[in-house]
Amino acid sequence: MSQVTTNQSDSGATSSRRALGDVVIMALRERWDVEEDAARRFVRRHQNLYAEDLIGFMEELEMHLARMHHARFGHEAVPEVLRRAVVYGLDYLISSRVGLSEKQLADFIQYANDEVASERTRASDTGTQNTVHPKNVI
């Protein structure tokens, strides 16, 4: 009889953990625009932590990146830059057992800045989007 009770409580704990994982996945997708597959891998990788702890960690990572950006560039980061830097950090944490270093975080901020700047430049430079460049003529 105790075996049946144990199995029922185990399945209840599993479904409860799955529901909490879904909450984290939804938060990662909505707030930081993380792809669903990456969010699921992150939750699975850290399945022993509470949902509040995972979301709190991501918020702390975002705040730390924002402070680093301000210290490095002298102004607040554009939300898209922070979002991308957080995603880079999350991707690294999914695939590595080692924590993030300050150098890696600084690199993620730089990559995100470069990407956003490049996209904005392409979007604002309407002359180069559909221009056919002639071959070198002598």
Side-chain angles (χ1 to χ4, degrees):
M1 186 71 169
S2 65
Q3 182 66 23
V4 172
T5 306
T6 303
N7 288 340
Q8 289 173 350
S9 65
D10 286 347
S11 67
T14 301
S15 64
S16 175
R17 186 172 299 280
R18 189 176 304 123
L20 289 175
D22 290 343
V23 168
V24 174
I25 290 168
M26 188 171 45
L28 290 172
R29 291 192 52 138
E30 289 177 359
R31 184 159 177 193
W32 292 286
D33 201 27
V34 175
E35 293 180 10
E36 185 170 354
D37 183 52
R40 288 196 183 286
R41 287 184 293 144
F42 180 72
V43 168
R44 189 171 40 245
R45 177 91 180 211
H46 303 287
Q47 62 187 344
N48 294 330
L49 298 175
Y50 292 108
E52 298 84 22
D53 293 337
L54 290 174
I55 294 171
F57 168 77
M58 295 302 292
E59 290 170 345
E60 288 178 27
L61 177 62
E62 183 179 40
M63 287 188 312
H64 186 69
L65 288 165
R67 285 191 300 270
M68 285 181 71
H69 185 282
H70 190 272
R72 184 171 188 173
F73 297 103
H75 60 85
E76 291 194 19
V78 177
E80 180 63 22
V81 170
L82 279 180
R83 193 170 22 258
R84 287 182 188 207
V86 167
V87 170
Y88 291 146
L90 180 112
D91 285 341
Y92 178 84
L93 290 171
I94 289 170
S95 62
S96 176
R97 295 199 177 270
V98 181
L100 291 165
S101 70
E102 292 293 312
K103 171 73 169 107
Q104 288 168 317
L105 292 175
D107 289 345
F108 294 155
I109 291 171
Q110 188 63 53
Y111 298 151
N113 261 331
D114 292 347
E115 281 185 345
V116 170
S118 178
E119 288 174 2
R120 287 183 176 183
T121 300
R122 276 195 307 267
S124 66
D125 189 7
T126 57
T128 61
Q129 289 178 354
N130 297 318
T131 303
V132 176
H133 297 286
K135 294 183 179 181
N136 293 335
V137 178
I138 299 179

